[in-house]
Amino acid sequence: MSRIRQISQRELIVLLCIALIALVTIAVVFAQAESPEWKYYQSEFRAIVAETLGSVDVDTIPRGIQQIWVEDLDRVDRCITCHQGVQWKGLEEIEQPWTTHPDQEILSSHPIEEYGCTLCHGGEGFAVSEFEAHGYGEHWEEPLLGQAIASEYEPVNPPPLLQIRCNVCHRYERSTPNMEYINVGKELVRLKGCKICHVINGQGGRLGPDLTHVGEKHAEEFDFSNLSTDQMTIFNWHVKHFKSPTTVVPASIMPDLNLQTKEAIALSMLMMSWRDDSHLPRRLFPNLELKDEQTPEEIARDERMLTGDGAFFAKFSCFVCHSIEAFEIQSPTNKGPDLSWAPEDVRTRFNKTVEEFLFEPTGTMKIILESQIVLTDEQKWEAINKIMKAYDIVKNREQEKAP
Amino acid sequence: MSLLPKQGALGRLFWSWRPQSDREAGEAVVANFLLHWFPSRVTLKSLSLKYSIYLGTISLVLFCILTVSGVFLMFLYVPSVERAYWWIKDLDYAVSFGWYLRRVHRIGAHLMVAAVFLHMFRVFLTGAYKRGSAAGSNRPFNWVLGVLLLVLTLFLSFTGYLLPWDQLAFWAITVGTNIAASVPWIGDEIRQFLLGGNEVGQNTLIRFYVLHVFFLPLVLTAIAIWHMWRIRKDGGLAIVEQLRIRNRERAPEAPAKTKTWSVLGIASGTSVTVLDPGTVHETDSVPSSPFLTTRLLAVTVATLVVVMLLALVVPAPLEEAANPEVTPNPAKAPWYFLGLQELVGYSALVGGVLIPGIVLLGLALIPYLDREQAGIGLWLTDKSGRRWAVIGTVWGLLWTVGSLAIGIKFPMREAFPSIESQLFFDMVSPATLLLLSFVVLYFVSLKVTSSSRTAAIATFCAFIVAFVLLTWTGTMLRGPNWQFFWPWEAWPRQPIPF
Amino acid sequence: MSGDKPVEGESRRGFITKLTGWVLGIGFVAGSWPFIRSLFPNVLYEPPRRFKIGTPDAFQEGVHFLQDHRMFLFRDGSSFHAISGVCTHLGCTVKYSPFKQDQELTVRKLTYESAGEFHCACHGSRFRDEGTNFSGPAPRPLNWYQLELSPEDGQLVVNMSEEVDRDFRLVV
């Protein structure tokens, strides 16, 4: 039997080196796994509790990933892994993330065990590291609605974007305490008559798109070509669009509502809050009919707009710019003059009769009547007749007033 | 002196891994269940790293890594359209080492696709698909098995791609199955069969899941075993043919072997060699245990190290949850199909059906179109082969870049606005141009060199270049709306909610 | 020169081989650990085993049945303890049956005033109010659970993953 030929020592050493590198790599994997962010926050918390609330035995403070699972909301929130102090009393003066939850009143009516955290605050509940958990990652679409984002819009007076999420459930209320911006937005919706052109919650006109679930619209469904590249967010689109619709959407027939920046922000927050709530459990909407609250006067006024002589001007959208006081038609914008006085106005301004002007318009009306509101000859005559009737009505009223 | 004698408890268990004599080495292969896989002896040339780069081994090791990590992942995943995405989120955040398991599996999958491609390139370029002179050898058939394994690997990767059920997964499979639908006559049926319906949904997910975890691995394992068994039947790696030729020259009258290695012949004989001077001699070869086993161990551990290191630095992406109503921009197939997606953009018929069909058929038929026996096992065969490899590479580079340039700068439909015929645009497209350039290359090189092998080398090298370049283009140079961007041009920022 | 060098070479080879073997062995065990560890969950989608039940003042003197958690809370002055309401036979929920008059009992070397007992409707098992099984098929006494006061807000916290014995009392 021949002496066995052996593997060269060099090869053995190569194998040894590869094996050592493997061992080191495994060690690195272990090191990675043993040092997640939250371990630091949890050990700090124990130190803080020992210092601030000396009587507590820190060993009872839970270690490891903590989560709140709200089954009927299908949400898992692991925020309390780092934010361990939210339900503790006595840590109000400590900084984030260990502090007691501010606003205990809201917290007691929305207990964490029943609501989780991200339903109100946004962010990614599954995550256990700060950047991902706060929802700032590239592929998470519900970021934490806090100061970080808000101060990018208004560094001086950052809006409380959190109210957006409040309104996902509270949208059917006329006004809710602690939701100032949203309340302002809702008031504006009533004042400016948005429902005249837009369907909202099942009611409204069809001149503009249905806004009931506008908050669900995905970023790719918006046209950002008229916004600069550092402004390409949905929220910003809404703010700019409210301030000047035609700048953002050149072909828009939405009138300029003369809104201040703060009002535009409030309305934009309202838009972002109008989400699809059909999957939310009923327990989040106690004692509520899922419809907007309207006063009886408002209901009656809307009805009157749709019947009677004035209905013509509602149907053909003239009222968007023009009021007609003779028929109690109220324009939300009053961009143009009241049509009840048209016979006089048209003569004064254009030296024409209403009939001449309607069939051969000039200026803004030319553009509108050529593209946006196209009337047949018959319809134009009906308009003229109604305007004349309105004129009679207002002239009679004037005569009755001044004997 | 000897550390593990055959006596003693430990010795009895492990002697076969450390044989102390040639006889023991031969017996080891017969006595040990795991070692029976290997031949008793293996040639020094086969062991050479420079020859095979151990790519076949690497592919198999990667498959084993994927299988093991895959089985563990099966405990941590559920194939439901409502749940799958969230289980993957939990895997990344809440499961101990979950991020690691996921990354290992993903990077292993990408590496395996790359490894099987590289293995195919190596086998082709060394002419190891050729028949050879040993009795019973049929390397051409083993090549066909290899092509089949390539397709299975791609299909495994494709089915696995869907499972996270995020936007990337959902739309990649949407694009991929739409490419499949471009097959004439039966394309729609193929797509419906893959999807389990008309749309990507729960049926698709469970179908792809079962294919991915059970059916395809089973088939791949069976064919891989067959593939490796064929190596034994073929007499070993193709480089052995050169040894056989040299030995024949030394002893031309020696009897030729009438059958391949017989285990019984070794076990009952007085030495480990079968008496046939045409086969390997003791001077050319070494016992498999421990020489081959040690090298395979080194390659295995090295592959593991690479996978682990990459798993530490390369994250596994998870985009938004799958949303059929929103298409991400751009929507791309998995990287190994991006070359196809690029070509399909020019012509669905040529890019999606003709070219892939011709490529697969062409690959499978290579050993039957080129039956020359010279230089088996030698890289690029000979001087002419080396020269035409360069010519083929340059040709492939020029024509691929040219076809891409035409496709990007002169979109056909804009160049001929009045023509409506789809067939015209299929015929007159950069994809057709590329295909024709390959046809020309093959026949010209065949005519000039009168060698099917050299023509094959030229065409294959052009194919490698075209595949790599088209894949890179589809990955790196195509941005939103499938617009072309130079590498230094930034893609437009995508809008976000806040 | 003849005998030494080969032996040295042998032992160096042997050392390298052995070392490689150990490194690979440790590597294999260590490398397998992540895979095995991943199968032991860190978070569970189940009702928590440790939960709050309310402040001490929410509970009057006597026995309180907490239906959602299948357990009984006992209050005796300022002393509290918690007993499981799950029968140790096959898991039905037991009912508490108070006596008209307290009885002095000695159970497992403990003498005390007993105010009632537990009955299981499924197969007739009976337990003393300190948990001991004394009639029917139940094989073991009812569990007593760890009870704490939460440092966060002073609520009572039941910890069902920690069992305690009969002399446990939480005094607030």
Side-chain angles (χ1 to χ4, degrees):
Chain A
M1 272 189 236
S2 47
R3 182 74 182 82
I4 189 89
R5 186 168 164 177
Q6 286 185 317
I7 301 174
S8 74
Q9 202 159 93
R10 211 187 59 141
E11 255 186 66
L12 284 175
I13 293 184
V14 167
L15 179 60
L16 178 61
C17 289
I18 296 176
L20 283 169
I21 296 175
L23 206 56
V24 168
T25 312
I26 294 173
V28 175
V29 171
F30 273 64
Q32 270 274 65
E34 285 304 302
S35 51
E37 267 178 51
W38 50 264
K39 276 200 176 173
Y40 161 71
Y41 292 115
Q42 289 193 342
S43 68
E44 273 300 301
F45 185 69
R46 283 190 287 278
I48 289 172
V49 166
E51 208 185 291
T52 326
L53 306 168
S55 56
V56 175
D57 178 12
V58 292
D59 286 333
T60 57
I61 299 174
R63 290 161 195 252
I65 299 178
Q66 306 297 310
Q67 71 179 27
I68 299 169
W69 173 46
V70 189
E71 194 171 355
D72 61 358
L73 289 176
D74 216 2
R75 275 175 186 269
V76 172
D77 289 336
R78 301 190 170 120
C79 323
I80 49 172
T81 305
C82 295
H83 293 272
Q84 287 193 295
V86 283
Q87 289 177 295
W88 285 60
K89 299 203 188 341
L91 299 176
E92 291 81 0
E93 303 302 308
I94 311 293
E95 59 195 333
Q96 288 282 20
W98 305 284
T99 183
T100 304
H101 192 283
D103 222 322
Q104 286 292 314
E105 213 188 287
I106 294 188
L107 190 64
S108 54
S109 52
H110 302 75
I112 288 181
E113 289 78 16
E114 291 172 35
Y115 288 79
C117 317
T118 58
L119 186 67
C120 302
H121 287 277
E124 184 181 349
F126 280 87
V128 288
S129 58
E130 185 186 337
F131 184 76
E132 279 87 21
H134 291 189
Y136 297 140
E138 197 191 329
H139 294 295
W140 190 259
E141 290 177 323
E142 307 274 358
L144 190 68
L145 294 176
Q147 288 279 59
I149 296 179
S151 34
E152 287 189 26
Y153 287 97
E154 280 288 300
V156 177
N157 215 3
L161 295 177
L162 186 53
Q163 293 177 9
I164 292 174
R165 297 207 60 91
C166 306
N167 202 45
V168 174
C169 297
H170 287 275
R171 71 185 288 177
Y172 304 105
E173 291 167 14
R174 245 182 121 74
S175 164
T176 318
N178 298 309
M179 281 167 57
E180 304 79 30
Y181 272 73
I182 294 291
N183 294 338
V184 164
K186 288 178 178 173
E187 189 57 38
L188 282 167
V189 167
R190 286 187 287 271
L191 263 173
K192 298 286 184 181
C194 307
K195 275 196 178 179
I196 295 161
C197 298
H198 296 278
V199 171
I200 300 170
N201 283 336
Q203 294 177 322
R206 297 188 190 275
L207 206 61
D210 186 329
L211 296 180
T212 310
H213 295 142
V214 66
E216 295 291 341
K217 249 174 109 170
H218 198 264
E220 305 211 331
E221 300 175 65
F222 288 85
D223 181 1
F224 290 92
S225 37
N226 292 309
L227 292 173
S228 63
T229 47
D230 62 345
Q231 299 174 323
M232 280 172 50
T233 71
I234 299 179
F235 187 70
N236 202 41
W237 189 97
H238 280 300
V239 174
K240 294 280 187 289
H241 180 251
F242 275 119
K243 301 261 330 241
S244 170
T246 44
T247 309
V248 177
V249 185
S252 177
I253 52 169
M254 178 162 158
D256 194 333
L257 302 166
N258 298 317
L259 297 167
Q260 297 175 337
T261 306
K262 189 168 173 205
E263 293 173 323
I265 289 180
L267 279 168
S268 303
M269 285 170 61
L270 195 64
M271 296 302 105
M272 303 296 282
S273 79
W274 284 350
R275 309 288 295 266
D276 179 8
D277 53 13
S278 53
H279 61 282
L280 291 175
R282 280 297 309 215
R283 67 173 170 88
L284 296 178
F285 306 93
N287 308 319
L288 274 186
E289 238 191 283
L290 300 185
K291 254 171 36 137
D292 291 333
E293 289 180 57
Q294 269 191 311
T295 60
E297 296 82 29
E298 285 174 338
I299 297 174
R301 187 198 66 194
D302 282 349
E303 288 246 340
R304 280 200 301 273
M305 292 254 281
L306 299 168
T307 54
D309 282 313
F312 177 91
F313 300 97
K315 182 173 162 203
F316 289 102
S317 309
C318 317
F319 76 96
V320 174
C321 299
H322 300 277
S323 296
I324 305 112
E325 64 171 293
F327 303 134
E328 290 182 23
I329 297 292
Q330 180 62 36
S331 165
T333 64
N334 282 318
K335 272 215 120 43
D338 193 313
L339 291 181
S340 316
W341 296 98
E344 286 179 17
D345 285 331
V346 169
R347 180 153 319 128
T348 319
R349 269 211 233 167
F350 306 105
N351 210 12
K352 289 181 181 175
T353 62
V354 172
E355 179 193 317
E356 284 166 346
F357 184 71
L358 204 53
F359 279 91
E360 264 162 46
T362 55
T364 318
M365 281 309 290
K366 181 175 196 292
I367 302 170
I368 300 282
L369 290 175
E370 272 175 10
S371 53
Q372 310 282 14
I373 305 175
V374 180
L375 302 169
T376 63
D377 284 354
E378 241 181 51
Q379 288 161 343
K380 287 181 186 169
W381 281 115
E382 199 184 334
I384 293 164
N385 288 333
K386 290 212 187 295
I387 288 174
M388 302 312 287
K389 185 172 169 189
Y391 187 52
D392 281 335
I393 294 175
V394 292
K395 276 210 303 193
N396 284 338
R397 283 189 196 157
E398 279 225 333
Q399 278 175 353
E400 278 166 29
K401 276 193 227 156
Chain B
M1 191 186 64
S2 64
L3 288 119
L4 279 176
K6 221 171 171 182
Q7 294 79 30
L10 220 60
R12 274 202 293 275
L13 272 176
F14 292 107
W15 69 266
S16 57
W17 298 96
R18 308 194 69 246
Q20 298 301 309
S21 66
D22 267 0
R23 165 118 198 152
E24 274 194 12
E27 283 183 1
V29 155
V30 177
N32 184 319
F33 171 69
L34 293 172
L35 289 177
H36 93 279
W37 190 253
F38 303 119
S40 159
R41 294 183 75 86
V42 66
T43 62
L44 289 165
K45 283 204 183 293
S46 304
L47 283 177
S48 157
L49 186 65
K50 282 200 275 266
Y51 172 65
S52 68
I53 321 174
Y54 283 78
L55 284 166
T57 309
I58 292 174
S59 304
L60 183 66
V61 169
L62 285 169
F63 181 63
C64 293
I65 294 175
L66 286 169
T67 305
V68 170
S69 58
V71 168
F72 279 90
L73 284 168
M74 281 173 73
F75 286 103
L76 302 164
Y77 170 83
V78 66
S80 134
V81 299
E82 292 89 16
R83 303 245 157 264
Y85 181 74
W86 306 109
W87 280 65
I88 305 257
K89 279 277 177 198
D90 266 354
L91 194 61
D92 273 343
Y93 293 126
V95 173
S96 289
F97 298 102
W99 57 273
Y100 176 66
L101 241 77
R102 193 167 163 242
R103 290 186 187 195
V104 161
H105 197 77
R106 179 182 170 269
I107 211 70
H110 286 309
L111 286 176
M112 185 178 169
V113 171
V116 302
F117 267 112
L118 290 173
H119 177 59
M120 176 177 76
F121 295 165
R122 191 288 289 169
V123 172
F124 174 84
L125 293 172
T126 52
Y129 56 82
K130 292 170 181 289
R131 188 167 214 97
S133 56
S137 121
N138 192 355
R139 292 202 179 87
F141 179 67
N142 211 15
W143 168 268
V144 173
L145 286 181
V147 173
L148 196 53
L149 286 170
L150 174 69
V151 171
L152 283 168
T153 304
L154 289 175
F155 203 26
L156 261 170
S157 189
F158 187 63
T159 48
Y161 213 79
L162 179 66
L163 302 185
W165 203 253
D166 66 344
Q167 283 285 68
L168 183 68
F170 185 90
W171 292 99
I173 268 52
T174 303
V175 169
T177 49
N178 283 336
I179 294 177
S182 55
V183 173
W185 302 314
I186 52 170
D188 277 322
E189 276 72 24
I190 294 177
R191 181 174 170 275
Q192 282 185 345
F193 180 69
L194 284 172
L195 295 183
N198 295 312
E199 291 167 359
V200 179
Q202 180 64 71
N203 280 0
T204 319
L205 187 56
I206 191 66
R207 205 162 272 233
F208 274 40
Y209 179 72
V210 175
L211 281 171
H212 185 76
V213 309
F214 179 69
F215 191 69
L216 290 172
L218 197 67
V219 174
L220 191 141
T221 305
I223 304 211
I225 290 174
W226 194 358
H227 188 70
M228 291 184 282
W229 181 75
R230 280 299 331 164
I231 298 174
R232 294 292 310 278
K233 289 295 272 181
D234 292 339
L237 298 191
I239 191 66
V240 173
E241 294 300 318
Q242 296 304 316
L243 270 176
R244 193 180 294 281
I245 291 171
R246 197 195 64 197
N247 291 340
R248 282 244 143 251
E249 281 161 13
R250 283 188 194 157
E253 281 92 47
K257 196 169 61 153
T258 53
K259 63 175 182 176
T260 49
W261 289 103
S262 152
V263 164
L264 282 177
I266 301 164
S268 60
T270 52
S271 86
V272 297
T273 53
V274 169
L275 292 164
D276 167 11
T279 55
V280 294
H281 282 189
E282 288 187 30
T283 43
D284 306 319
S285 63
V286 285
S288 296
S289 174
F291 285 83
L292 181 59
T293 51
T294 319
R295 290 230 171 168
L296 291 178
L297 181 63
V299 169
T300 305
V301 180
T303 309
L304 273 164
V305 167
V306 170
V307 170
M308 286 194 291
L309 281 173
L310 287 173
L312 277 169
V313 294
V314 180
L318 190 65
E319 299 193 355
E320 297 84 355
N323 186 348
E325 293 169 22
V326 176
T327 312
N329 194 357
K332 291 192 177 178
W335 65 268
Y336 37 86
F337 285 151
L338 277 176
L340 224 62
Q341 193 173 348
E342 176 73 35
L343 291 177
V344 163
Y346 302 127
S347 162
L349 177 65
V350 178
V353 183
L354 276 183
I355 290 184
I358 290 174
V359 164
L360 274 177
L361 199 62
L363 281 175
L365 289 179
I366 286 174
Y368 303 101
L369 293 172
D370 165 32
R371 294 175 192 262
E372 293 171 13
Q373 293 292 299
I376 299 178
L378 301 174
W379 277 86
L380 296 171
T381 310
D382 55 20
K383 198 157 133 206
S384 172
R386 287 193 288 279
R387 191 187 318 134
W388 278 88
V390 174
I391 295 175
T393 305
V394 173
W395 179 272
L397 188 66
L398 285 174
W399 280 97
T400 309
V401 171
S403 306
L404 280 172
I406 292 176
I408 291 162
K409 282 290 181 198
F410 304 104
M412 289 290 130
R413 285 192 186 272
E414 285 171 35
F416 302 99
S418 47
I419 301 183
E420 286 184 2
S421 156
Q422 176 63 39
L423 192 62
F424 174 81
F425 290 113
D426 283 332
M427 294 297 113
V428 181
S429 80
T432 318
L433 184 64
L434 193 60
L435 184 61
L436 287 174
S437 75
F438 273 71
V439 173
V440 165
L441 175 67
Y442 180 73
F443 285 107
V444 165
S445 56
L446 190 60
K447 188 78 199 290
V448 171
T449 63
S450 313
S451 159
S452 58
R453 169 65 177 162
T454 314
I457 289 178
T459 318
F460 199 88
C461 287
F463 165 70
I464 296 176
V465 167
F467 179 78
V468 169
L469 198 56
L470 284 170
T471 305
W472 184 72
T473 306
T475 315
M476 294 298 184
L477 306 183
R478 288 290 188 188
N481 301 320
W482 207 249
Q483 296 273 56
F484 180 79
F485 290 85
W486 292 105
W488 52 86
E489 286 180 331
W491 291 11
R493 262 190 26 194
Q494 295 303 310
I496 51 176
F498 284 96
Chain C
M1 188 80 158
S2 55
D4 284 346
K5 221 161 178 220
V7 175
E8 255 183 52
E10 278 301 313
S11 64
R12 195 181 332 130
R13 287 183 69 88
F15 171 71
I16 293 174
T17 315
K18 257 196 164 173
L19 184 61
T20 309
W22 276 97
V23 172
L24 285 173
I26 294 174
F28 178 76
V29 171
S32 321
W33 173 246
F35 290 83
I36 299 176
R37 175 67 181 90
S38 72
L39 297 179
F40 292 85
N42 298 314
V43 292
L44 289 173
Y45 291 84
E46 296 171 3
R49 303 280 299 159
R50 189 168 175 271
F51 46 87
K52 294 180 188 169
I53 54 175
T55 53
D57 351 314
F59 298 97
Q60 291 172 330
E61 187 90 11
V63 187
H64 301 267
F65 177 55
L66 302 179
Q67 186 169 11
D68 290 339
H69 304 291
R70 300 177 76 195
M71 51 155 278
F72 293 89
L73 185 74
F74 285 76
R75 178 174 189 161
D76 181 12
S78 54
S79 143
F80 292 83
H81 62 273
I83 301 186
S84 165
V86 179
C87 181
T88 53
H89 178 227
L90 292 176
C92 294
T93 309
V94 302
K95 277 184 91 120
Y96 182 73
S97 199
F99 298 139
K100 292 204 178 63
Q101 261 180 316
D102 285 3
Q103 298 174 13
E104 195 182 273
L105 284 179
T106 304
V107 186
R108 287 192 282 154
K109 299 201 177 80
L110 176 73
T111 308
Y112 73 108
E113 290 286 318
S114 170
E117 57 188 34
F118 294 101
H119 296 159
C120 181
C122 290
H123 306 98
S125 295
R126 300 203 316 183
F127 306 80
R128 301 282 179 219
D129 61 353
E130 48 72 86
T132 307
N133 51 315
F134 68 92
S135 173
R140 285 181 315 277
L142 295 169
N143 291 330
W144 283 54
Y145 290 126
Q146 163 76 352
L147 203 57
E148 300 157 354
L149 219 48
S150 167
E152 292 177 22
D153 49 10
Q155 285 192 52
L156 288 165
V157 179
V158 178
N159 189 353
M160 285 183 159
S161 28
E162 238 190 271
E163 284 171 31
V164 296
D165 54 26
R166 316 180 283 179
D167 49 15
F168 175 89
R169 296 287 183 282
L170 177 71
V171 181
V172 302

